[in-house]
Each structure stands twice: as structure tokens, then as C-alpha cells.
Amino acid sequence: MKKIAIIIIFALFAGMSQVQAQTSMLQQGQVLKIDRPESGNFEYVKFPRKNFIIKRGGIADMKSVEGMLVVVQSFKETKWGTEVTLKRKDGRKFFRNFPTITAIWPDARDKGELHLVN
């Protein structure tokens, strides 16, 4: 019985260390690529709503962000995952008015919205 309890505890600690290793893979200055998710709508990459883009004089075309390279500017841990602040690699603004966007890192990667670029 003791052996089973020790094995279960060891397995839990091994699983937690693996999760920490995945989030530590993301570093400041790392380049990511934005791709269109299979569902068609961005769920974990947080773009401004279309009415805010239009009010500021931008063009609310989500196809313009497909394939765009972005750089990790900062990140912080939240209860939903790692919230990552992204800026465009070419230095321009998103939709001509927004210098940064945010994303929830592990979920955006799992849904195919963000990919690591090597």
C-alpha cells in the first residue's frame, strides 16, 4: 500500500514539472506565427473587437493577420494560463492602431492560433 502511494505521489510531481517546463519554453523576444484556427474564430489570441477597430480608423480584416510574425514582449501567469503580450515583428501596429495584443499561451498553441517559429 505504501509503494502505491509513493508511486502516485511521484507521478503527480513528475506531471507538474512537465507543465512548468512547457511554459518555460516561452521566452521574451521569441518569435511566434499567427495562424487561422480550424474553428475560424480566434478564441485565445485577444484581438480588439471589430467596432473598436473601425472607430479608430482601422480596417477590421482578420485575414490580414494570418501568417503574421509576432514577438513576445512580456508574459505573466494568470489563473487561465500564461498571458502573453505580443507585438508585430516588423514594428507596425495591428490594424493601424493597436501596438500590442494579448494571448493565452498554452491554449492558443493547442488550438493552432499561435506556433513557435524556429
Side-chain angles (χ1 to χ4, degrees):
M1 190 68 169
K2 275 185 167 180
K3 289 181 181 180
I4 294 174
I6 291 173
I7 291 173
I8 291 173
I9 291 171
F10 178 73
L12 289 174
F13 282 120
M16 286 190 297
S17 67
Q18 184 176 4
V19 169
Q20 290 175 350
Q22 289 176 354
T23 56
S24 67
M25 283 177 32
L26 193 64
Q27 298 173 355
Q28 191 171 5
Q30 193 164 8
V31 179
L32 303 172
K33 181 180 178 185
I34 299 175
D35 284 330
R36 170 73 75 182
E38 294 175 3
S39 65
N41 296 325
F42 289 97
E43 194 173 340
Y44 297 105
V45 177
K46 305 296 181 189
F47 289 109
R49 294 190 317 207
K50 289 185 179 184
N51 63 331
F52 290 128
I53 296 170
I54 294 168
K55 281 182 184 179
R56 290 188 171 188
I59 300 170
D61 182 20
M62 293 298 170
K63 290 182 180 180
S64 66
V65 297
E66 289 181 30
M68 187 178 291
L69 296 177
V70 293
V71 178
V72 176
Q73 188 174 11
S74 65
F75 54 93
K76 64 179 178 179
E77 292 293 326
T78 63
K79 64 181 178 180
W80 300 284
T82 305
E83 185 178 288
V84 182
T85 303
L86 305 168
K87 67 177 182 177
R88 287 179 62 162
K89 186 175 180 185
D90 60 6
R92 295 170 47 194
K93 295 181 180 179
F94 293 97
F95 309 110
R96 297 184 354 193
N97 289 310
F98 301 93
T100 61
I101 58 171
T102 60
I104 306 298
W105 168 243
D107 297 330
R109 179 194 61 208
D110 295 341
K111 291 291 184 177
E113 296 176 10
L114 288 175
H115 298 285
L116 289 170
V117 176
N118 295 333

